[in-house]
Amino acid sequence: MDTVNMIINVIAIMAGLTIYIGISNTKWGKDHQQYQYAIMLGAILLAVLIGGFIRWLIVVR
């Protein structure tokens, strides 16, 4: 694995963690704690899309 892909993976992981923490700390997130796994899966999905988008930007350029 080259350095660029490793950095993109770290960025995607941090984005997913930030999205999850951000949603969990909102009023809506606290009111819907029973959906914590769904919120986590949604954050992971968004992180994967962000990582894929960054990879796409690098390949296009």
Coordinates of all heavy atoms in Angstrom, one line a residue:
M1 N 0.8 -1.2 0.0 CA 0.0 0.0 0.0 C 0.9 1.2 0.0 O 1.8 1.4 0.8 CB -0.9 0.0 1.2 CG -1.7 1.2 1.4 SD -2.8 1.2 2.8 CE -4.0 0.0 2.4
D2 N 0.6 2.1 -0.9 CA 1.5 3.3 -1.0 C 1.0 4.4 0.0 O -0.1 4.3 0.6 CB 1.6 3.8 -2.4 CG 0.2 4.3 -2.9 OD1 -0.8 3.9 -2.4 OD2 0.2 5.1 -3.9
T3 N 1.8 5.4 0.2 CA 1.6 6.4 1.2 C 0.3 7.2 0.9 O -0.4 7.5 1.9 CB 2.8 7.3 1.3 OG1 4.0 6.6 1.5 CG2 2.6 8.3 2.4
V4 N 0.0 7.5 -0.3 CA -1.1 8.3 -0.6 C -2.4 7.6 -0.2 O -3.3 8.2 0.4 CB -1.2 8.7 -2.1 CG1 -2.4 9.4 -2.5 CG2 0.0 9.5 -2.5
N5 N -2.5 6.3 -0.6 CA -3.7 5.5 -0.2 C -3.8 5.4 1.3 O -5.0 5.4 1.8 CB -3.7 4.1 -0.8 CG -4.1 4.2 -2.3 OD1 -4.9 5.0 -2.7 ND2 -3.6 3.2 -3.1
M6 N -2.7 5.3 2.0 CA -2.8 5.2 3.5 C -3.3 6.5 4.1 O -4.1 6.5 5.0 CB -1.4 4.9 4.0 CG -1.4 4.5 5.5 SD 0.1 3.9 6.1 CE 1.2 5.3 5.9
I7 N -2.8 7.6 3.5 CA -3.3 8.9 4.0 C -4.8 9.1 3.7 O -5.5 9.6 4.5 CB -2.4 10.1 3.4 CG1 -1.0 10.0 4.0 CG2 -3.1 11.4 3.6 CD1 0.0 10.9 3.3
I8 N -5.2 8.7 2.5 CA -6.6 8.8 2.2 C -7.5 8.0 3.1 O -8.6 8.4 3.6 CB -6.9 8.4 0.7 CG1 -6.2 9.4 -0.2 CG2 -8.4 8.2 0.4 CD1 -6.2 9.0 -1.7
N9 N -7.0 6.8 3.5 CA -7.7 5.9 4.4 C -7.9 6.6 5.8 O -8.9 6.5 6.4 CB -7.1 4.5 4.5 CG -7.2 3.7 3.3 OD1 -8.1 3.9 2.5 ND2 -6.4 2.7 3.1
V10 N -6.8 7.2 6.2 CA -6.8 7.9 7.5 C -7.8 9.0 7.5 O -8.6 9.2 8.4 CB -5.4 8.3 7.9 CG1 -5.5 9.2 9.1 CG2 -4.5 7.1 8.2
I11 N -7.8 9.8 6.4 CA -8.7 10.9 6.3 C -10.2 10.4 6.3 O -11.0 11.0 6.9 CB -8.4 11.7 5.0 CG1 -7.1 12.4 5.1 CG2 -9.6 12.7 4.7 CD1 -6.6 13.0 3.8
A12 N -10.5 9.3 5.6 CA -11.8 8.7 5.5 C -12.2 8.2 6.9 O -13.4 8.4 7.3 CB -11.9 7.6 4.5
I13 N -11.3 7.6 7.6 CA -11.7 7.1 9.0 C -12.0 8.3 9.9 O -12.9 8.3 10.7 CB -10.5 6.2 9.5 CG1 -10.4 4.9 8.8 CG2 -10.7 6.0 11.0 CD1 -9.2 4.1 9.0
M14 N -11.1 9.3 9.8 CA -11.3 10.5 10.7 C -12.6 11.2 10.3 O -13.4 11.7 11.2 CB -10.2 11.4 10.6 CG -8.9 10.9 11.2 SD -9.0 10.3 12.8 CE -9.2 11.8 13.7
A15 N -13.0 11.2 9.0 CA -14.2 11.8 8.6 C -15.4 11.1 9.1 O -16.4 11.7 9.6 CB -14.3 11.9 7.1
G16 N -15.4 9.7 9.1 CA -16.4 8.9 9.6 C -16.6 9.1 11.1 O -17.7 9.2 11.6
L17 N -15.5 9.2 11.8 CA -15.5 9.4 13.3 C -16.1 10.7 13.6 O -16.9 10.9 14.5 CB -14.1 9.2 13.9 CG -14.0 9.3 15.4 CD1 -14.8 8.2 16.1 CD2 -12.6 9.2 15.8
T18 N -15.7 11.7 12.9 CA -16.2 13.1 13.1 C -17.7 13.2 12.8 O -18.4 13.8 13.6 CB -15.4 14.1 12.2 OG1 -14.0 14.0 12.5 CG2 -15.9 15.5 12.5
I19 N -18.1 12.6 11.7 CA -19.6 12.6 11.4 C -20.4 11.9 12.5 O -21.4 12.4 12.9 CB -19.8 11.9 10.0 CG1 -19.2 12.7 8.9 CG2 -21.3 11.6 9.8 CD1 -19.1 12.0 7.6
Y20 N -19.9 10.7 13.0 CA -20.6 10.0 14.0 C -20.7 10.8 15.3 O -21.7 10.9 15.9 CB -19.9 8.6 14.2 CG -20.5 7.9 15.4 CD1 -21.8 7.3 15.3 CD2 -19.8 7.7 16.6 CE1 -22.4 6.6 16.3 CE2 -20.4 7.0 17.6 CZ -21.7 6.5 17.5 OH -22.2 5.8 18.5
I21 N -19.5 11.3 15.7 CA -19.5 12.1 17.0 C -20.4 13.4 16.8 O -21.1 13.7 17.7 CB -18.1 12.5 17.4 CG1 -17.4 11.2 17.8 CG2 -18.1 13.5 18.5 CD1 -15.9 11.4 18.1
G22 N -20.3 14.0 15.6 CA -21.1 15.2 15.4 C -22.6 14.9 15.5 O -23.4 15.6 16.1
I23 N -23.1 13.8 14.9 CA -24.5 13.4 14.9 C -24.9 13.0 16.3 O -26.0 13.4 16.8 CB -24.8 12.3 13.9 CG1 -24.6 12.9 12.5 CG2 -26.2 11.8 14.1 CD1 -24.7 11.8 11.4
S24 N -24.0 12.3 17.0 CA -24.4 11.8 18.3 C -24.5 12.9 19.3 O -25.2 12.8 20.3 CB -23.3 10.8 18.8 OG -23.3 9.6 18.0
N25 N -23.8 14.0 19.1 CA -23.8 15.1 20.1 C -25.0 16.1 19.8 O -25.1 17.0 20.6 CB -22.5 15.8 20.1 CG -21.4 15.0 20.8 OD1 -21.7 14.2 21.7 ND2 -20.2 15.2 20.5
T26 N -25.7 15.9 18.7 CA -26.8 16.8 18.5 C -28.0 16.4 19.3 O -28.1 15.3 19.8 CB -27.2 16.8 17.0 OG1 -27.6 15.5 16.6 CG2 -26.0 17.2 16.1
K27 N -29.0 17.3 19.4 CA -30.2 17.0 20.1 C -30.9 15.8 19.5 O -31.4 14.9 20.1 CB -31.1 18.2 20.1 CG -32.4 18.1 20.9 CD -33.2 19.3 20.9 CE -34.5 19.2 21.7 NZ -35.4 18.2 21.4
W28 N -30.9 15.8 18.1 CA -31.6 14.7 17.4 C -30.9 13.4 17.7 O -31.5 12.4 18.0 CB -31.5 14.9 15.9 CG -32.3 13.9 15.1 CD1 -33.6 13.9 14.8 CD2 -31.7 12.7 14.6 NE1 -33.9 12.8 14.1 CE2 -32.8 12.0 13.9 CE3 -30.4 12.1 14.6 CZ2 -32.6 10.8 13.3 CZ3 -30.3 10.9 13.9 CH2 -31.3 10.3 13.3
G29 N -29.5 13.4 17.7 CA -28.8 12.2 18.0 C -29.0 11.7 19.5 O -29.1 10.5 19.7
K30 N -29.1 12.6 20.4 CA -29.4 12.2 21.8 C -30.8 11.7 21.9 O -31.1 10.7 22.7 CB -29.2 13.4 22.7 CG -27.7 13.7 22.8 CD -27.4 14.9 23.7 CE -26.0 15.2 23.7 NZ -25.7 16.5 24.4
D31 N -31.8 12.2 21.2 CA -33.2 11.7 21.3 C -33.3 10.4 20.6 O -34.3 9.7 20.9 CB -34.1 12.8 20.6 CG -34.3 14.0 21.4 OD1 -33.9 14.0 22.6 OD2 -34.7 15.0 20.8
H32 N -32.4 10.0 19.6 CA -32.6 8.8 18.9 C -31.4 7.9 19.2 O -30.9 7.2 18.3 CB -32.6 9.1 17.4 CG -33.9 9.9 17.0 ND1 -33.9 11.3 17.0 CD2 -35.1 9.4 16.6 CE1 -35.1 11.6 16.7 NE2 -35.9 10.6 16.4
Q33 N -31.0 7.7 20.4 CA -29.9 6.8 20.8 C -30.2 5.4 20.5 O -29.3 4.6 20.3 CB -29.6 7.0 22.2 CG -28.8 8.2 22.5 CD -28.3 8.3 24.0 OE1 -28.8 7.5 24.8 NE2 -27.5 9.3 24.3
Q34 N -31.5 5.0 20.4 CA -31.8 3.6 20.0 C -31.4 3.3 18.6 O -31.4 2.1 18.2 CB -33.3 3.3 20.3 CG -34.3 4.0 19.3 CD -34.7 5.4 19.8 OE1 -34.0 6.0 20.7 NE2 -35.8 5.9 19.3
Y35 N -31.2 4.3 17.8 CA -30.7 4.1 16.4 C -29.2 4.2 16.2 O -28.7 4.6 15.2 CB -31.4 5.0 15.5 CG -32.9 4.9 15.5 CD1 -33.8 5.9 15.9 CD2 -33.5 3.7 15.1 CE1 -35.1 5.8 15.9 CE2 -34.9 3.5 15.1 CZ -35.7 4.6 15.5 OH -37.0 4.4 15.6
Q36 N -28.5 4.0 17.3 CA -27.0 4.3 17.3 C -26.3 3.4 16.3 O -25.4 3.9 15.6 CB -26.5 4.0 18.7 CG -25.0 4.3 18.8 CD -24.4 4.0 20.2 OE1 -25.2 3.5 21.1 NE2 -23.2 4.3 20.4
Y37 N -26.7 2.2 16.1 CA -26.0 1.4 15.1 C -26.3 1.8 13.7 O -25.4 1.8 12.8 CB -26.4 -0.1 15.2 CG -25.9 -0.7 16.5 CD1 -26.7 -1.2 17.5 CD2 -24.5 -0.8 16.7 CE1 -26.2 -1.7 18.6 CE2 -24.0 -1.4 17.8 CZ -24.9 -1.8 18.8 OH -24.4 -2.4 20.0
A38 N -27.5 2.3 13.4 CA -27.9 2.8 12.1 C -27.1 4.1 11.8 O -26.6 4.4 10.7 CB -29.4 3.1 12.0
I39 N -27.0 5.0 12.9 CA -26.2 6.2 12.7 C -24.8 5.9 12.4 O -24.1 6.5 11.6 CB -26.4 7.1 14.0 CG1 -27.8 7.6 14.1 CG2 -25.4 8.3 13.9 CD1 -28.1 8.2 15.5
M40 N -24.2 4.9 13.1 CA -22.8 4.5 12.9 C -22.6 3.9 11.5 O -21.7 4.3 10.8 CB -22.4 3.4 13.9 CG -21.0 3.1 14.0 SD -20.6 1.8 15.1 CE -21.4 2.3 16.6
L41 N -23.6 3.1 11.0 CA -23.4 2.6 9.7 C -23.5 3.7 8.6 O -22.8 3.7 7.6 CB -24.5 1.5 9.4 CG -24.3 0.2 10.1 CD1 -25.5 -0.7 9.9 CD2 -23.0 -0.5 9.6
G42 N -24.4 4.7 8.9 CA -24.5 5.8 7.9 C -23.2 6.6 7.9 O -22.8 7.1 6.9
A43 N -22.6 6.8 9.1 CA -21.4 7.5 9.2 C -20.3 6.8 8.4 O -19.4 7.4 7.7 CB -21.0 7.8 10.6
I44 N -20.2 5.5 8.6 CA -19.2 4.7 7.9 C -19.4 4.7 6.4 O -18.5 4.9 5.6 CB -19.3 3.2 8.3 CG1 -18.8 3.1 9.8 CG2 -18.5 2.3 7.4 CD1 -19.0 1.8 10.4
L45 N -20.7 4.7 5.9 CA -21.0 4.8 4.5 C -20.6 6.1 3.9 O -20.0 6.2 2.9 CB -22.5 4.6 4.3 CG -23.0 4.8 2.8 CD1 -22.4 3.7 2.0 CD2 -24.5 4.7 2.8
L46 N -20.8 7.2 4.7 CA -20.4 8.5 4.2 C -18.9 8.6 4.2 O -18.3 9.2 3.3 CB -20.9 9.6 5.1 CG -22.4 9.9 4.9 CD1 -22.9 10.9 6.0 CD2 -22.7 10.5 3.6
A47 N -18.2 8.0 5.2 CA -16.7 8.0 5.2 C -16.2 7.3 4.0 O -15.2 7.7 3.3 CB -16.2 7.4 6.5
V48 N -16.8 6.2 3.6 CA -16.3 5.4 2.4 C -16.5 6.2 1.2 O -15.7 6.3 0.3 CB -17.1 4.0 2.3 CG1 -16.9 3.4 1.0 CG2 -16.7 3.1 3.5
L49 N -17.7 6.9 1.1 CA -17.9 7.8 -0.1 C -16.9 8.9 -0.1 O -16.4 9.3 -1.2 CB -19.4 8.3 -0.1 CG -20.4 7.2 -0.3 CD1 -21.8 7.9 -0.1 CD2 -20.3 6.6 -1.7
I50 N -16.6 9.5 1.0 CA -15.6 10.6 1.0 C -14.2 10.1 0.6 O -13.6 10.7 -0.2 CB -15.5 11.2 2.4 CG1 -16.8 12.0 2.7 CG2 -14.3 12.1 2.6 CD1 -16.9 12.4 4.2
G51 N -13.8 8.9 1.1 CA -12.6 8.3 0.6 C -12.5 8.0 -0.8 O -11.5 8.3 -1.5
G52 N -13.6 7.5 -1.3 CA -13.7 7.2 -2.8 C -13.7 8.4 -3.6 O -13.1 8.5 -4.7
F53 N -14.3 9.5 -3.1 CA -14.3 10.8 -3.9 C -12.9 11.4 -3.9 O -12.5 11.8 -4.9 CB -15.3 11.7 -3.2 CG -15.4 13.1 -3.9 CD1 -16.0 13.2 -5.1 CD2 -14.9 14.2 -3.3 CE1 -16.0 14.4 -5.8 CE2 -14.9 15.4 -3.9 CZ -15.5 15.5 -5.2
I54 N -12.2 11.3 -2.8 CA -10.8 11.8 -2.8 C -9.9 11.0 -3.7 O -9.1 11.5 -4.5 CB -10.2 11.7 -1.3 CG1 -11.0 12.7 -0.4 CG2 -8.7 12.1 -1.3 CD1 -10.6 12.6 1.0
R55 N -10.1 9.7 -3.7 CA -9.3 8.8 -4.7 C -9.7 9.2 -6.1 O -8.8 9.3 -7.0 CB -9.6 7.4 -4.4 CG -8.9 6.8 -3.3 CD -9.0 5.3 -3.2 NE -8.3 4.8 -2.1 CZ -8.9 4.7 -0.9 NH1 -10.1 5.1 -0.7 NH2 -8.2 4.3 0.2
W56 N -11.0 9.4 -6.4 CA -11.4 9.8 -7.7 C -10.8 11.1 -8.2 O -10.3 11.3 -9.3 CB -12.9 9.9 -7.8 CG -13.5 10.3 -9.1 CD1 -13.6 9.6 -10.2 CD2 -13.9 11.6 -9.4 NE1 -14.1 10.3 -11.2 CE2 -14.3 11.6 -10.8 CE3 -14.1 12.8 -8.7 CZ2 -14.8 12.7 -11.4 CZ3 -14.6 13.9 -9.4 CH2 -14.9 13.9 -10.7
L57 N -10.7 12.1 -7.2 CA -10.1 13.4 -7.5 C -8.6 13.2 -7.9 O -8.1 13.9 -8.8 CB -10.2 14.3 -6.3 CG -11.6 15.0 -6.1 CD1 -11.6 15.8 -4.8 CD2 -12.0 15.8 -7.3
I58 N -7.9 12.3 -7.2 CA -6.5 12.1 -7.4 C -6.3 11.4 -8.8 O -5.4 11.8 -9.5 CB -5.9 11.3 -6.3 CG1 -5.8 12.2 -5.0 CG2 -4.5 10.9 -6.6 CD1 -5.4 11.5 -3.8
V59 N -7.2 10.5 -9.1 CA -7.0 9.8 -10.4 C -7.3 10.7 -11.6 O -6.6 10.7 -12.6 CB -7.9 8.5 -10.4 CG1 -8.0 7.9 -11.8 CG2 -7.4 7.5 -9.4
V60 N -8.3 11.5 -11.4 CA -8.7 12.4 -12.5 C -7.6 13.4 -12.8 O -7.3 13.8 -13.9 CB -10.1 13.1 -12.2 CG1 -10.3 14.3 -13.2 CG2 -11.2 12.1 -12.2
R61 N -7.0 13.9 -11.8 CA -5.9 14.9 -12.0 C -4.7 14.2 -12.3 O -3.8 13.9 -12.6 CB -5.7 15.7 -10.7 CG -6.9 16.6 -10.5 CD -6.7 17.5 -9.3 NE -7.9 18.3 -9.1 CZ -7.9 19.4 -8.4 NH1 -6.9 19.7 -7.8 NH2 -9.0 20.0 -8.3

